[in-house]
Amino acid sequence: MIRTHSRKLAGIALAGAAALTITGCTAAGAGDDGDGPVTVSVWHGFTEADGTVVQEIADEFNASQDDYEVAIEVNPWNVITDKLLPAVSSGNGPDVVVQGVDSGQGYVDQGVFQSMQGFYDDAENETDSYYQHVVDYGVYDGEAYAVPMGYAPFAVWYNTAMFEAAGVTEMPQTWDEWIDLAEQLTVDENGDGTPEIYGLSVADKETTFIPTWLEAGGGEVYEDGEVTLDTAQNVETLQWWRDAYTRNWGPTNISLAESVDVFKAGKAAMVVIGPWMIGIADSVGLDVGVFEVPAGPEKVAAQAAANYWWLTSQADDEATAGAYAFLRYFNSHDAQVKWALEANYPPNRTDITAEELAENPYVETMQAFTENTYVRLAGLPGGVTDVNAELDTLSVHITQGTGGDVGTLVGETDAALTDTLSEFE
């Protein structure tokens, strides 16, 4: 199963919920009678190896002390999105929930999430070992609201047999080298214009595409509360990609799941995806390698599939203390080594060595990628679904060469995004 870790909060200002102010509620089961450990309820949607590791770490935490009991409930990600707000507002939700940062600002504004600044203010939690740019995505108005949970760099995964057959021994370092390689690996035996094997499969019908490439080109879609799409720099970057796609090295108008399907079926030599590619490749007996997304005109930039721990407004003081204790344990050195080796995520800490990750060579390689991976559209105040839809449309126009010239498309999309986000001012 392909898991999209940055969950979309559909129309984050739900008609009746936008005006709802959620106040602190007593967490259900949180040490009600004072005779046993305080229960800390946690929701997440991981159902593969990552979910197993989360449960194992929670079990280890529970066994390590007597004050708190972490109780995990697993639901599909879309179910969590649908029921989180009403559940927390009625006091029947979790104390802690895993979510991305694309919807975080909206939940904060609605009072669903409360500040976790206290976690960072306590030196015992060793947050100075976290990647600072990863932490910063959960900071709003100078206040920290989220703790890193699973930060998964997107990278280029390749079919080792195809690379060996083509004699590829050095990985591309720039976009130009990358697309040259993609064209070299593309196979169109009958010359009908539809390759039997594409050199590279990229999810262009996802909001993974536009923000990542613009970042590598030195631009942004959204920054400091403003839409910043319509710039000459961004037009130049997207024109480069439109021109590159005319070389017919990759399919167009495909989702993330579809791009992976093309790759795992042996119909593409490379794909851009997160570390869950390891499990997918294992499931079909495909030998793969991985390298960092090559550098654009300004820098190396790749998307991160980023999930964070959030403390809901339902958590009282006891549940908050328990949540902090669990998150300290989850992001401790030893637990992060376990998380990396067994769940295939690079660790959230900077003080874990390559030698400690050597048992999992994929993660050992990917650890260095974290510095150059970014969360797309972090800090949107709302309208995530509409923003994604606009960018998806722009993306496909770029890759398919449709919809008019790039400058006009960028200007129209900028105006549409500005209009959407103005509703949340």
Side-chain angles (χ1 to χ4, degrees):
M1 178 182 294
I2 306 298
R3 301 178 303 282
T4 302
H5 291 268
S6 290
R7 292 292 118 189
K8 300 178 178 69
L9 177 60
I12 205 166
L14 299 174
L20 177 63
T21 300
I22 301 176
T23 57
C25 302
T26 301
D32 299 315
D33 56 12
D35 293 333
V38 173
T39 299
V40 181
S41 57
V42 176
W43 286 5
H44 70 72
F46 297 111
T47 58
E48 305 290 336
D50 41 20
T52 299
V53 179
V54 172
Q55 184 63 60
E56 289 176 355
I57 294 175
D59 291 342
E60 292 169 3
F61 168 74
N62 290 340
S64 72
Q65 46 73 52
D66 299 322
D67 295 328
Y68 308 106
E69 182 81 13
V70 169
I72 291 178
E73 180 178 332
V74 180
N75 288 291
W77 292 109
N78 64 315
V79 172
I80 292 175
T81 296
D82 290 343
K83 72 178 188 177
L84 180 60
L85 191 150
V88 172
S89 66
S90 65
N92 295 315
D95 300 309
V96 177
V97 65
V98 177
Q99 287 280 276
V101 291
D102 57 351
S103 57
Q105 178 72 70
Y107 279 131
V108 169
D109 291 344
Q110 291 175 308
V112 180
F113 295 154
Q114 60 175 299
S115 171
M116 299 181 77
Q117 186 62 47
F119 184 82
Y120 289 91
D121 292 340
D122 185 348
E124 185 181 358
N125 295 328
E126 301 180 336
T127 57
D128 58 350
S129 72
Y130 298 177
Y131 289 90
Q132 188 59 52
H133 75 289
V134 177
V135 170
D136 288 345
Y137 288 123
V139 175
Y140 307 124
D141 296 326
E143 193 88 356
Y145 281 85
V147 171
M149 188 274 172
Y151 196 84
F154 273 41
V156 184
W157 295 84
Y158 63 92
N159 184 309
T160 57
M162 291 182 183
F163 269 47
E164 289 171 5
V168 179
T169 57
E170 294 186 7
M171 300 304 118
Q173 302 299 308
T174 67
W175 280 358
D176 284 317
E177 293 176 358
W178 190 22
I179 298 309
D180 286 346
L181 177 60
E183 188 172 28
Q184 173 191 337
L185 294 169
T186 298
V187 177
D188 183 5
E189 292 180 348
N190 59 11
D192 66 352
T194 302
E196 289 78 31
I197 299 175
Y198 287 104
L200 172 62
S201 179
V202 176
D204 64 328
K205 194 172 65 177
E206 296 267 354
T207 318
T208 59
F209 185 88
I210 296 290
T212 301
W213 305 146
L214 295 186
E215 182 91 29
E220 296 277 359
V221 172
Y222 179 82
E223 188 174 22
D224 297 329
E226 300 289 339
V227 177
T228 56
L229 179 61
D230 192 7
T231 68
Q233 184 179 40
N234 286 343
V235 170
E236 182 178 352
T237 298
L238 295 182
Q239 184 64 58
W240 190 96
W241 277 102
R242 172 172 276 191
D243 294 342
Y245 262 92
T246 64
R247 296 161 66 180
N248 200 31
W249 43 261
T252 62
N253 197 29
I254 59 172
S255 68
L256 194 60
E258 290 167 337
S259 72
V260 173
D261 286 343
V262 171
F263 177 73
K264 74 179 185 181
K267 296 179 180 179
M270 295 179 281
V271 68
V272 179
I273 190 66
W276 50 97
M277 186 69 237
I278 299 168
I280 295 170
D282 285 345
S283 71
V284 294
L286 181 64
D287 288 332
V288 296
V290 62
F291 61 87
E292 189 170 28
V293 172
E298 292 296 322
K299 61 181 177 181
V300 175
Q303 180 199 358
N307 279 304
Y308 289 72
W309 302 105
W310 303 82
L311 185 70
T312 74
S313 56
Q314 173 177 302
D316 62 10
D317 290 346
E318 287 187 318
T320 296
Y324 284 4
F326 172 59
L327 301 190
R328 176 170 60 248
Y329 190 93
F330 186 88
N331 278 339
S332 67
H333 183 279
D334 291 350
Q336 279 297 292
V337 171
K338 176 182 177 68
W339 173 246
L341 293 178
E342 298 179 22
N344 297 323
Y345 283 76
N348 295 320
R349 301 171 63 109
T350 61
D351 59 354
I352 295 174
T353 67
E355 289 75 18
E356 291 175 291
L357 303 179
E359 292 178 26
N360 188 328
Y362 292 122
V363 174
E364 181 186 8
T365 299
M366 287 188 294
Q367 182 182 26
F369 302 168
T370 298
E371 290 285 0
N372 295 321
T373 54
Y374 306 87
V375 175
R376 62 176 180 82
L377 304 178
L380 287 180
V384 176
T385 299
D386 291 337
V387 168
N388 287 344
E390 291 289 346
L391 291 175
D392 291 350
T393 298
L394 172 61
S395 178
V396 174
H397 279 317
I398 295 300
T399 61
Q400 294 192 330
T402 57
D405 67 89
V406 174
T408 299
L409 285 167
V410 167
E412 292 173 348
T413 305
D414 185 288
L417 297 181
T418 300
D419 183 59
T420 294
L421 295 179
S422 68
E423 300 176 16
F424 302 93
E425 293 178 350

